[in-house]
């Protein structure tokens, strides 16, 4: 039987946090140690921030949760070359997310 919709975020977030390609996204990018990040990326987001919002029920619906996840990966694609370590991790994590979400729906 399909998971109740409200469990999707917790289930999916746990799998993303455990994913081998999640390391660049586990914590907020330290904007002091990444030159230009603050200027280029106007809305920083990371998995620990999303975890905090899920835990305190700050997402009114699943779409709000998904848009924060997309923000993590969109920021990554914007700032990092596709062929860089971090860029490649972001692309792999995005394809995992898209495959997994399709299964959960
Ligand atoms: C997602 C991202 N985009 C741009 C620059 C850096 C990062 N992530 C960093 C997060 C802390 C560890 S790290 O410094 O190796 C990588």
């Amino acid at each position: 039987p399909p998971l109740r919709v409200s469990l999707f975020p917790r289930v999916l977030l746990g799998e993303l946090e455990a994913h081998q390609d999640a390391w660049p996204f586990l914590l907020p990018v330290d904007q002091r140690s990444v030159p230009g990040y603050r200027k280029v990326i106007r809305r920083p987001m990371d998995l620990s921030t999303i975890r905090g919002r899920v835990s305190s029920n700050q997402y009114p619906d699943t779409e709000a949760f998904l848009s924060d996840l997309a923000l993590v990966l969109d920021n990554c694609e914007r700032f990092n070359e596709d062929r860089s370590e971090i860029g490649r991790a972001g692309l792999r994590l995005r394809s995992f997310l898209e495959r997994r979400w399709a299964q959960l729906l």
Side-chain angles (χ1 to χ4, degrees), residues 23-25 27 29 34 37 79-80 86:
W23 57 270
F25 316 107
L27 294 174
V29 175
V34 181
Y37 196 82
F79 192 85
N80 301 285
I86 294 175

Side-chain angles (χ1 to χ4, degrees), residues 22-30 33-35 37 41 45-46 72 75-77 79-80 86-87 90:
W23 57 270
F25 316 107
L26 294 175
L27 294 174
V29 175
D30 178 356
S33 67
V34 181
Y37 196 82
I41 300 300
M45 186 50 62
D46 70 285
V72 174
N75 288 345
C76 178
E77 279 194 56
F79 192 85
N80 301 285
I86 294 175

Side-chain angles (χ1 to χ4, degrees), residues 3-76:
L3 281 171
R4 280 189 28 241
V5 176
S6 62
L7 289 181
F8 280 3
R10 280 169 167 72
V11 168
L12 184 63
L13 184 56
E15 293 177 9
L16 290 168
E17 289 165 330
H19 196 281
Q20 66 172 12
D21 291 312
W23 57 270
F25 316 107
L26 294 175
L27 294 174
V29 175
D30 178 356
Q31 307 194 16
R32 290 182 310 281
S33 67
V34 181
Y37 196 82
R38 180 201 309 261
K39 189 81 183 142
V40 171
I41 300 300
R42 295 304 185 161
R43 289 181 63 216
M45 186 50 62
D46 70 285
L47 296 179
S48 70
T49 301
I50 295 173
R51 170 60 67 186
R53 293 181 179 182
V54 165
S55 304
S56 51
N57 286 312
Q58 287 178 50
Y59 289 118
D61 51 40
T62 303
E63 287 69 27
F65 163 74
L66 279 176
S67 73
D68 269 356
L69 276 184
L71 185 54
V72 174
L73 297 172
D74 292 345
N75 288 345
C76 178

